[in-house]
Amino acid sequence: MIVDCAIYRDGRRSEGPEDFSDALDEARAAGDAFLWIGMHEPTAKEFDHVRSEFGLHALAVEDALTAHQRPKLEVYDDSLFVVLKPVQYDEATDTVTTGELMVFIGDSFVVTVRHGEGAPLAAVRRRLEHDPDVLRQGPTAVLYAISDAVVDHYIEVAAELQADLEELEAEVFAPNASDTKNTAARIYGFKRQVLEFRRATSPLLQPMDRLAFGEVPFVHDHAQPFFRDVADHLTKANEYIEGLDRLLSDALAAHLAQMGVRQNDDMRKISAWAAMAAVPTMVAGIYGMNFDDMPELKQSWGYPAVLVVMAGLCLGLHRLFKRRGWL
């Protein structure tokens, strides 16, 4: 559906005709105006009128309707098509969710199509409307403001992930950590969230570089320094994500190593107790063979002497294993 629609003339909002064609003609006739239409998960029927009025390319329209696109920048004859993937992080469930944001830019018009609940554009529109000097730059300013808002939120989400990762690291390296199965599952789940995050940020590097350093139709050359700033922030976000992924891999390796050490400790303890149990078993086995020529069987002190020997051997083994750290 259409969330908002307005004509911006000289950086100021003004309500135009309800018909898209008339509003676009009015914006083009003014020279210093453009039309901005915001849509949220439009149906094919709702978007067909927009497509026909603005002359949008069929391939870009298909991408905007079906979503599930990688971040990209496509140049067509009559418009520029940009795909962004805003992210949201739910601390309660430790999950990263991605939405999709498509931006069409052409001669005196901007069409934004949003899928998902993340990154609503109302805040971006309000901020631009309170800054006429920026909005006066036309559709290029809208594309910059949207890109800047999405990328800045990447850094915020990365910081939240970093805080949660520090808590997870503390759990992994805790001296009394016991729930190893759950910890391994949490690390693996965290890596899946970081991978989902990377799918939103990494493919965006090339489109931002084109906007920052190349000549792109419908984008003013004097806007390149601003897009370079966005590209710098995006690079910073990607470095955050790569660092998170490396730390998670190290944490998983350390956790597996700790599990191996604990298993070795457990095996040593089991082996020590088994050795101590084997001594009296061996002695009892010898005296249980019932041979006639065993003089100890005829002595009154034989039974207590054997008990003392078994206890002494077990005590000696216990002290030996304790000194070597096996118990």
Side-chain angles (χ1 to χ4, degrees):
M1 65 177 185
I2 297 177
V3 178
D4 200 352
C5 176
I7 294 176
Y8 294 90
R9 182 178 292 106
D10 193 29
R12 303 290 181 179
R13 178 181 178 127
S14 63
E15 301 301 329
E18 294 184 0
D19 184 80
F20 295 152
S21 180
D22 294 339
L24 182 59
D25 291 340
E26 180 179 325
R28 287 174 174 171
D32 60 348
F34 68 94
L35 177 66
W36 182 0
I37 298 175
M39 309 185 75
H40 179 234
E41 297 182 354
T43 63
K45 183 178 180 180
E46 290 172 337
F47 203 68
D48 186 63
H49 183 51
V50 176
R51 178 197 61 78
S52 60
E53 293 295 342
F54 292 91
L56 305 179
H57 197 279
L59 292 177
V61 170
E62 181 182 356
D63 290 345
L65 289 175
T66 58
H68 303 294
Q69 304 297 317
R70 285 166 55 89
K72 62 181 180 179
L73 184 152
E74 299 285 350
V75 178
Y76 298 102
D77 293 336
D78 299 323
S79 63
L80 178 70
F81 180 58
V82 180
V83 178
L84 304 168
K85 293 184 76 70
V87 299
Q88 295 288 331
Y89 182 59
D90 187 354
E91 293 186 5
T93 59
D94 293 337
T95 55
V96 173
T97 56
T98 59
E100 291 196 37
L101 187 57
M102 288 80 169
V103 183
F104 294 88
I105 290 181
D107 182 14
S108 301
F109 72 83
V110 178
V111 178
T112 55
V113 181
R114 182 168 58 90
H115 291 268
E117 299 301 323
L121 295 179
V124 176
R125 190 185 286 260
R126 284 195 302 269
R127 188 167 65 251
L128 283 173
E129 289 175 354
H130 284 84
D131 194 351
D133 290 337
V134 175
L135 197 56
R136 196 174 288 119
Q137 306 304 317
T140 301
V142 176
L143 178 59
Y144 160 71
I146 293 173
S147 303
D148 185 58
V150 170
V151 172
D152 282 350
H153 194 61
Y154 286 163
I155 297 177
E156 295 175 6
V157 172
E160 293 177 356
L161 287 172
Q162 178 68 39
D164 287 349
L165 176 58
E166 290 174 358
E167 295 179 2
L168 185 58
E169 286 179 326
E171 178 181 328
V172 169
F173 295 105
N176 57 348
S178 57
D179 194 357
T180 57
K181 183 177 179 181
N182 184 60
T183 301
R186 285 190 61 194
I187 295 174
Y188 183 74
F190 211 126
K191 284 184 69 70
R192 290 295 300 266
Q193 302 310 313
V194 171
L195 177 61
E196 183 71 16
F197 196 180
R198 176 175 284 180
R199 287 174 180 168
T201 61
S202 294
L204 190 57
L205 283 170
Q206 185 177 5
M208 283 297 112
D209 284 342
R210 290 181 63 185
L211 291 169
F213 300 102
E215 293 184 2
V216 180
F218 308 106
V219 176
H220 298 310
D221 292 341
H222 58 73
Q224 288 184 350
F226 298 95
F227 284 108
R228 281 198 291 270
D229 181 67
V230 177
D232 289 342
H233 290 178
L234 181 60
T235 300
K236 181 179 179 181
N238 274 284
E239 289 174 351
Y240 262 126
I241 297 168
E242 290 176 3
L244 289 172
D245 190 52
R246 286 195 299 269
L247 287 173
L248 281 169
S249 297
D250 293 343
L252 182 59
H255 176 67
L256 295 176
Q258 286 181 328
M259 289 179 62
V261 170
R262 293 192 188 106
Q263 288 175 349
N264 288 337
D265 289 341
D266 292 340
M267 288 302 299
R268 285 191 297 181
K269 291 178 181 179
I270 293 172
S271 299
W273 286 110
M276 287 187 289
V279 169
T281 302
M282 180 188 68
V283 174
I286 293 174
Y287 282 92
M289 292 186 292
N290 297 322
F291 288 115
D292 291 335
D293 297 329
M294 298 180 70
E296 293 85 355
L297 296 176
K298 307 300 182 179
Q299 303 296 329
S300 60
W301 49 264
Y303 176 69
V306 169
L307 292 180
V308 170
V309 170
M310 288 192 295
L313 290 174
C314 290
L315 181 61
L317 288 174
H318 184 274
R319 294 186 62 183
L320 175 65
F321 292 141
K322 192 76 171 177
R323 186 167 58 249
R324 294 188 176 183
W326 284 36
L327 292 174

